[in-house]
């Protein structure tokens, strides 16, 4: 793949229509930047977009992928903020990152330090940003407070564990039971998870004792919906907030009326694209800087990734859609 | 009833255990106020409390009723804020208002003007307070903005219609279909309702055109739950809030994951008792003053009431629990 130039993966719905294509690069104009893509992951939201289940959908045919890291090859005459050799990530979704090279406008790029690990740089702009904003923007949490989440092994889940630990927050991490549960538990605890429990354990009554050792969470992060979110709500502190950012179970959130009235529970949602629209690129750049700082401090790493060449896109997409896949598929160009 | 002194209704769960009893009044101490009750309504929350389905439950045996208006008969030596002849309502729930006379501490009483209608004074401290706070505290609404609610014929519903109209807000009022629907529609429109539609009409597709004439509501007030709340959510503007304050359908609130993520819909609850705990009596007194001002301006009246003597408590409780009862039962002592 590295030898091919002017090439991109062109992706259409359904995913079996995805193709790898050679395309001419557009000319590099005054404010344009020629970027050689280095690495780009497959996120769950990329799959949703291909399947047509997303808040916005690109015009087809479209280039797949919404995040990744590249290296600047050449810049137009008016470009001032990046130079050849710099590492860059994308400020916006929908630009297509599953390709070897691209011409982006300068304003679409954010420079990141080239001394951070490649996988971390390639996966910095979606999942850790979502995790950070959800931890900061809904409840004013103090060190020692707890946060409960489901899908704790997802990209966002792993970022939540690490960022929460860096903020002094205690995480209660719910995962689905599986044959290698102890390996998963150990891995998440190594990232900073205080508790790792299965959905089944969460349903057990003994958990009443559990909250003698850790304060009831005022923030719950829900990527699943259905019964799993009902369980999160059951353990939420009065006045607490559950933020929904995904719906892996394809079931709605169900909440009793008394939970709203007598427990003052708040149900909210989070979508990073909307946050970026509302807050603008400068705030997004600040957020990326904050996360790079955590990376430099050794407090934030990429989730477990499987590196795959762009040619193997069909297999990689299939793997990404497979339940219990513990590893993020990441294209290395 | 007026001739009996030292008498109170004593209420226990189930409601068939309610009894009318003669009891000795306690002595009037330095900070106490002897009050002759004038009128006290049966609210849905009183019924929930009797049935044991409420956020707090009094120790049994207990005196029923949580609001009402009385006239001061005598005051203790240290009482400064009320004098004999004043009309007073109660600052707190759980004090028991379904009785002819009582001794309350001064700090439990709020003076109201005695020139407002008796039914209005007796029903001021629960439903209109709930309506006012829900309209003010969740979304920053501007004149011309719209609000959607279900159970629009309830005590809170009628207060929402009137207070919203006073604030320049346009209300979309959902009611259950019934034989005399036109009479109900006329009555609510006379109170200030801009639109009155049935649950069935709300489900119809033609409503897409409806929102050409009125902006989509950013606030939905839900007293029902179940399918009715699903319909409210369907019509809520992106970023809007649904506040649940009742659950007449005895069904939970169900919301799709995409509603949270892509429409940024917020689900909240409201309970006046909690608001009073959080904000204190001074803020509650301010709220009562504001509402009295609306009453004096002719912008707020009591909901349709049926006056009943205290002896008929069993029939009144039964009527209050009957579906489609359009009139609030109010004890006149």
């Amino acid at each position: 793949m590295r030898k091919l130039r002017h090439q991109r993966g062109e992706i259409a719905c359904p995913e079996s229509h995805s193709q790898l294509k050679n395309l001419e690069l557009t000319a590099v104009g005054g404010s344009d930047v020629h970027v050689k893509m280095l690495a780009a992951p497959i996120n769950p939201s990329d799959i949703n977009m291909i399947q047509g289940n997303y808040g916005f959908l690109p015009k087809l045919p479209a280039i797949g992928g919404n995040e990744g890291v590249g290296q600047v090859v050449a810049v137009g005459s008016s470009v001032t903020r990046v130079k050849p050799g710099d590492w860059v990530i994308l400020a916006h979704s929908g630009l297509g990152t599953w390709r070897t090279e691209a011409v982006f406008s300068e304003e679409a790029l954010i420079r990141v330090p080239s001394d951070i690990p490649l996988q971390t740089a390639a996966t910095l702009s979606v999942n850790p940003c979502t995790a950070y904003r959800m931890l900061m923007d809904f409840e004013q949490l103090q060190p020692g407070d707890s946060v409960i989440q489901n899908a704790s092994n997802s990209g966002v889940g792993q970022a939540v564990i690490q960022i929460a630990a860096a903020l002094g927050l205690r995480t209660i991490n719910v995962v689905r039971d599986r044959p290698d549960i102890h390996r998963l538990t150990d891995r998440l605890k190594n990232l900073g998870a205080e508790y790792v429990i299965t959905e089944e354990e969460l349903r057990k009554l003994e958990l009443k004792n559990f909250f003698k050792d850790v304060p009831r969470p005022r923030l719950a992060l829900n990527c699943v919906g259905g019964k799993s979110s009902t369980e999160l709500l059951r353990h939420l502190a009065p006045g607490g907030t559950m933020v929904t950012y995904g719906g892996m179970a394809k079931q709605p959130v169900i909440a009793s009326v008394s939970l709203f009235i007598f427990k003052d529970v708040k149900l909210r949602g989070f979508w990073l694209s909307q946050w970026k629209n509302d807050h603008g690129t400068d705030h997004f750049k600040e957020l990326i800087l904050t996360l790079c700082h955590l990376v430099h401090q050794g407090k934030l790493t990429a989730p477990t990734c499987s590196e795959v060449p762009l040619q193997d896109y069909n297999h990689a997409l299939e793997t990404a859609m497979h339940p219990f896949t513990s590893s993020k598929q990441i294209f290395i160009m």
Side-chain angles (χ1 to χ4, degrees), chain A residues 21 24 28 41 44 66 79 92 138 178 186 233 235 267 302:
Chain A
K21 275 196 170 181
E24 284 300 314
V28 178
N66 289 288
V79 170
H92 315 295
F138 294 89
R178 62 194 75 197
D186 289 348
L233 283 174
H235 298 293
L267 301 195

Side-chain angles (χ1 to χ4, degrees), chain A residues 53-320:
Chain A
N53 301 320
Y54 203 65
F56 72 80
L57 298 171
K59 261 191 152 178
L60 297 179
I63 305 170
N66 289 288
E67 73 166 343
V69 62
Q71 188 162 34
V72 175
V73 175
V75 300
S77 55
S78 69
V79 170
T80 57
R81 281 169 293 184
V82 295
K83 60 182 189 305
D86 282 351
W87 277 18
V88 287
I89 64 174
L90 297 173
H92 315 295
S93 304
L95 296 173
T97 56
W98 297 344
R99 51 175 157 178
T100 52
E101 304 196 32
V103 173
F104 297 117
S105 73
E106 179 184 19
E107 57 81 30
L109 297 174
I110 299 174
R111 194 159 62 87
V112 292
S114 57
D115 62 352
I116 65 176
L118 186 71
Q119 289 183 1
T120 305
T123 58
L124 200 62
S125 69
V126 176
N127 292 339
C129 291
T130 297
Y132 188 88
R133 294 267 56 105
M134 292 196 300
L135 288 169
M136 298 303 282
D137 296 349
F138 294 89
E139 289 285 335
Q140 291 212 316
L141 301 174
Q142 303 298 327
D145 283 346
S146 78
V147 175
I148 193 167
Q149 66 167 340
N150 56 23
S152 308
N153 189 35
S154 68
V156 171
Q158 292 183 49
V160 164
I161 290 170
Q162 296 175 83
I163 297 168
L167 297 168
L169 302 172
R170 305 168 68 176
T171 53
I172 303 161
N173 300 282
V174 186
V175 295
R176 290 173 295 182
D177 200 9
R178 62 194 75 197
D180 60 344
I181 185 73
H182 293 295
R183 277 177 56 196
L184 173 59
T185 301
D186 289 348
R187 189 158 55 76
L188 298 185
K189 287 197 170 181
N190 278 338
L191 289 177
E194 181 159 343
Y195 300 97
V196 180
I197 53 179
T198 64
E199 296 276 0
E200 292 70 26
E201 285 168 339
L202 190 64
R203 274 182 220 120
K204 284 184 190 161
L205 280 178
E206 291 87 290
L207 274 175
K208 280 179 186 170
N209 295 321
F210 182 76
F211 289 108
K212 288 176 183 160
D213 297 324
V214 61
R216 275 192 182 265
R218 290 199 290 123
L219 182 67
L221 304 178
N222 169 40
C223 184
V224 180
K227 281 179 190 172
S228 177
S229 51
T230 303
E231 283 301 308
L232 295 190
L233 283 174
R234 200 158 68 86
H235 298 293
L236 198 58
T241 301
M242 181 170 84
V243 182
T244 292
Y245 69 96
M248 279 169 45
K250 302 195 189 302
Q251 296 287 330
V253 172
I254 299 173
S256 75
V257 159
S258 64
L259 212 56
F260 290 113
I261 304 174
F262 302 128
K263 271 190 74 181
D264 190 25
V265 158
K266 302 169 182 76
L267 301 195
R268 301 284 304 271
F270 183 79
W271 187 26
L272 186 63
S273 299
Q274 189 62 51
W275 185 90
K276 292 201 285 189
N277 277 347
D278 293 345
H279 292 80
T281 305
D282 284 350
H283 278 97
F284 186 57
K285 283 183 182 174
E286 265 177 50
L287 174 54
I288 293 293
L289 269 181
T290 303
L291 295 173
C292 286
H293 186 60
L294 288 177
V295 174
H296 278 140
Q297 288 179 309
K299 293 179 176 171
L300 180 63
T301 62
T304 317
C305 289
S306 297
E307 300 192 346
V308 286
L310 204 51
Q311 297 97 314
D312 294 350
Y313 65 93
N314 255 336
H315 182 251
L317 284 170
E318 268 176 43
T319 307

